[in-house]
Amino acid sequence: MSIHADAPVANRNAAGRRKSRWFAQVGWRHVVGVLAVAFSLFPILFVLSAALNPLGTLSSTDLVPTSGVSLENFTNLFDRTPFGWWFLNSLIIAGVASFASIFLSSLAAYAFSRMRFAGRRIGLLSLLLIQMFPQFLAIVAIFLIFTTVSDLWPAIGFNTPWGLLLLYLGGALGVNTWLMKGFFDTLPRELDESATMDGATHAQVFFRIMLPLVAPILAVTGLLAFIGTINEFLIANVFLTNSESKTLAVGMFGLVAGERNNNFGIFAAGTLLTAVPTVLVFQFLQRYIVSGLTAGSVKG
């Protein structure tokens, strides 16, 4: 009888040991994951609550809306501010700057990786050294240059997206070139030699063979360039002063620079809309980021 009576106790002890072992090996990771997700979602939920708060003030914003839900902040955002122009300017500048920087950087990286020419080493070292100094250190010199440029060619001067685009291109080429060069160096040179033996030119080798192989680094570089450009504030705040020529970062900062408490609801609504392009770009490039290095590009 004692043996049968002790069996449930032994089973419970064994089950408890299995649960303890599971928690020690795997369970604590679930706890950490849940805490990380909660920590990440808290600011998003707070901003979403502020955007839907009809009072639209920072002092009246809670994690869970207590004063009701309304889209009034989104309506006021478009009625009281030129948010549409800010959004369009940011998309144009970030999109064109990202594409142009990736294209030019890939050309430079291919040349530095595959060709041998005078000044190659000096050029690489110069790009590396220039990246040690932030672009904002040259803001005074750039401002004086664009003062003259605005008088001679107003289309690429102050308060124009094309002038700011030129500044962003100059600052992004160095680091992107170095990233892509390292990726090009990992590709076997036999691919180039085989294509050259078949009569392909350097342009054909680059566009038809190299670019498909480096699609992952192009996607990563493009995503980083887009995020960095659409969120850039310091240089844009100096060169864009007209209300309709501002980008999202500059325009949104103006909403809370003076009356942070009163305009916080509108600011939160604009923040949610500002995140949409970045999320869409990431979703579009995600399949290229996770794709294989040589998928579909090696001739059989």
Side-chain angles (χ1 to χ4, degrees):
M1 296 294 293
S2 61
I3 295 176
H4 294 288
D6 293 339
V9 177
N11 292 335
R12 286 195 298 269
N13 292 336
R17 287 193 296 270
R18 285 195 298 268
K19 291 181 180 179
S20 300
R21 191 182 308 111
W22 175 85
F23 184 82
Q25 296 176 354
V26 181
W28 66 271
R29 301 180 184 179
H30 291 76
V31 175
V32 173
V34 170
L35 292 178
V37 171
F39 181 78
S40 302
L41 291 179
F42 174 78
I44 300 177
L45 294 177
F46 185 80
V47 172
L48 179 61
S49 175
L52 298 178
N53 181 13
L55 299 180
T57 60
L58 178 60
S59 58
S60 63
T61 300
D62 298 317
L63 186 61
V64 178
T66 58
S67 55
V69 175
S70 174
L71 298 178
E72 184 179 355
N73 289 322
F74 293 90
T75 304
N76 294 333
L77 177 66
F78 287 94
D79 292 341
R80 299 181 184 178
T81 66
F83 182 81
W85 285 107
W86 300 345
F87 197 88
L88 181 62
N89 292 337
S90 293
L91 288 182
I92 293 176
I93 294 174
V96 176
S98 302
F99 178 81
S101 64
I102 292 173
F103 180 71
L104 296 178
S105 298
S106 61
L107 292 175
Y110 175 73
F112 281 123
S113 176
R114 288 299 196 264
M115 301 178 185
R116 297 296 181 266
F117 51 89
R120 174 180 174 274
R121 181 176 177 80
I122 297 177
L124 287 173
L125 292 177
S126 299
L127 288 176
L128 182 61
L129 291 175
I130 291 174
Q131 298 308 306
M132 296 174 59
F133 305 96
Q135 190 179 15
F136 194 73
L137 288 178
I139 192 65
V140 175
I142 295 175
F143 186 87
L144 295 177
I145 292 174
F146 268 80
T147 300
T148 304
V149 171
S150 299
D151 295 334
L152 299 177
W153 300 286
I156 57 173
F158 290 121
N159 294 310
T160 62
W162 311 115
L164 190 61
L165 175 63
L166 293 177
L167 288 178
Y168 289 155
L169 284 178
L173 288 179
V175 61
N176 292 343
T177 300
W178 264 99
L179 288 175
M180 293 185 185
K181 178 192 175 298
F183 212 84
F184 275 112
D185 290 341
T186 63
L187 301 180
R189 292 183 176 272
E190 287 77 8
L191 293 174
D192 305 45
E193 297 172 356
S194 177
T196 303
M197 292 295 295
D198 291 340
T201 62
H202 286 299
Q204 291 174 331
V205 171
F206 175 74
F207 286 105
R208 296 187 179 184
I209 298 178
M210 294 292 109
L211 280 188
L213 292 174
V214 298
I217 192 62
L218 293 179
V220 172
T221 307
L223 179 62
L224 294 177
F226 184 86
I227 294 175
T229 304
I230 202 171
N231 293 330
E232 201 281 325
F233 170 75
L234 292 176
I235 295 178
N237 190 43
V238 174
F239 286 83
L240 302 177
T241 56
N242 291 343
S243 180
E244 293 184 354
S245 66
K246 293 180 179 179
T247 59
L248 284 171
V250 180
M252 295 293 293
F253 174 78
L255 291 178
V256 294
E259 301 179 1
R260 178 175 303 179
N261 182 63
N262 296 333
N263 294 330
F264 186 75
I266 300 177
F267 176 81
T271 302
L272 292 177
L273 297 178
T274 302
V276 172
T278 303
V279 174
L280 293 179
V281 171
F282 179 81
Q283 292 296 326
F284 175 74
L285 297 179
Q286 185 178 10
R287 62 191 182 98
Y288 297 100
I289 297 175
V290 301
S291 63
L293 176 62
T294 59
S297 297
V298 179
K299 181 173 139 181

